[in-house]
């Protein structure tokens, strides 16, 4: 059980291969534990599903904040590039992996229904297109 957190972290890191993670666990435990690559791969999804209540609470916390910072980036998810929307109120942060950018990329994220002040550096086009539904956006 002590190795569960490092396994989850390693499985979610895009720059550490699952094979190297499995080998690390075998080495650290002198072969007592020998996780399969498939088992390690499933840890992130399992952790996500078991923490659904905490994720919902965090989502509400972001919506209740007067100011939210938002940014977008690209990350590898299960071997494919995904767009990631990062939302933070200074105390809490959530990451949303999406297939699309722009308006479709913020669907079902806290940005979509946020009514406070949004601060972002480079999403001027997205928020300009959404000017009818979102106000108080600062693009620097």
């Amino acid at each position: 059980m002590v190795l569960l957190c490092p396994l989850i972290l390693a499985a979610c890191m895009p720059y550490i291969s699952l094979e190297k993670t499995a080998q690390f666990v075998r080495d650290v435990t002198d072969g007592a534990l020998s996780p399969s690559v498939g088992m390690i791969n499933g840890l992130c999804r399992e952790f996500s599903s078991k923490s659904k209540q905490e994720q919902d609470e965090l989502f509400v916390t972001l919506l209740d904040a007067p100011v939210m910072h938002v940014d977008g980036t690209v990350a590898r998810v299960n071997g494919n590039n995904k767009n990631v929307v990062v939302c933070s109120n200074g105390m809490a942060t959530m990451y949303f992996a999406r297939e699309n950018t722009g308006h479709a990329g913020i669907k079902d994220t806290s940005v979509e229904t946020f009514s406070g002040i949004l601060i972002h550096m480079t999403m001027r086009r997205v928020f300009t297109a959404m000017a009818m539904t979102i106000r108080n956006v600062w693009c620097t």
Side-chain angles (χ1 to χ4, degrees):
M1 195 55 132
V2 174
L3 286 174
L4 187 57
C5 286
L7 271 176
I8 291 171
L9 288 174
C12 296
M13 298 292 175
Y15 49 84
I16 300 173
S17 74
L18 297 178
E19 291 82 7
K20 287 183 181 180
T21 302
Q23 185 61 48
F24 170 77
V25 172
R26 281 191 291 277
D27 293 346
V28 168
T29 63
D30 291 325
L33 293 176
S34 185
S36 70
V37 171
M39 189 276 292
I40 295 171
N41 188 42
L43 287 176
C44 288
R45 182 168 282 130
E46 182 179 346
F47 177 77
S48 180
S49 68
K50 288 185 177 181
S51 62
K52 181 71 173 132
Q53 180 180 352
E54 290 86 353
Q55 292 176 42
D56 292 343
E57 291 169 4
L58 184 57
F59 193 91
V60 170
T61 300
L62 289 173
L63 291 178
D64 289 343
V67 177
M68 182 169 54
H69 295 262
V70 62
D71 197 8
T73 189
V74 177
R76 305 255 324 148
V77 177
N78 295 328
N80 298 313
N81 283 341
K82 301 289 183 192
N83 297 294
V84 178
V85 178
V86 183
C87 303
S88 179
N89 64 6
M91 299 295 287
T93 303
M94 284 190 85
Y95 299 85
F96 301 91
R98 296 292 183 257
E99 294 289 330
N100 303 307
T101 60
H103 199 169
I106 62 169
K107 185 169 176 48
D108 297 327
T109 70
S110 52
V111 176
E112 184 179 34
T113 56
F114 185 67
S115 61
I117 297 171
L118 286 172
I119 299 175
H120 191 282
M121 303 260 314
T122 60
M123 289 183 71
R124 187 181 312 259
R125 289 186 319 241
V126 174
F127 295 127
T128 300
M130 296 176 63
M132 300 300 287
T133 57
I134 295 181
R135 293 173 179 77
N136 299 326
V137 177
W138 293 357
C139 294
T140 58

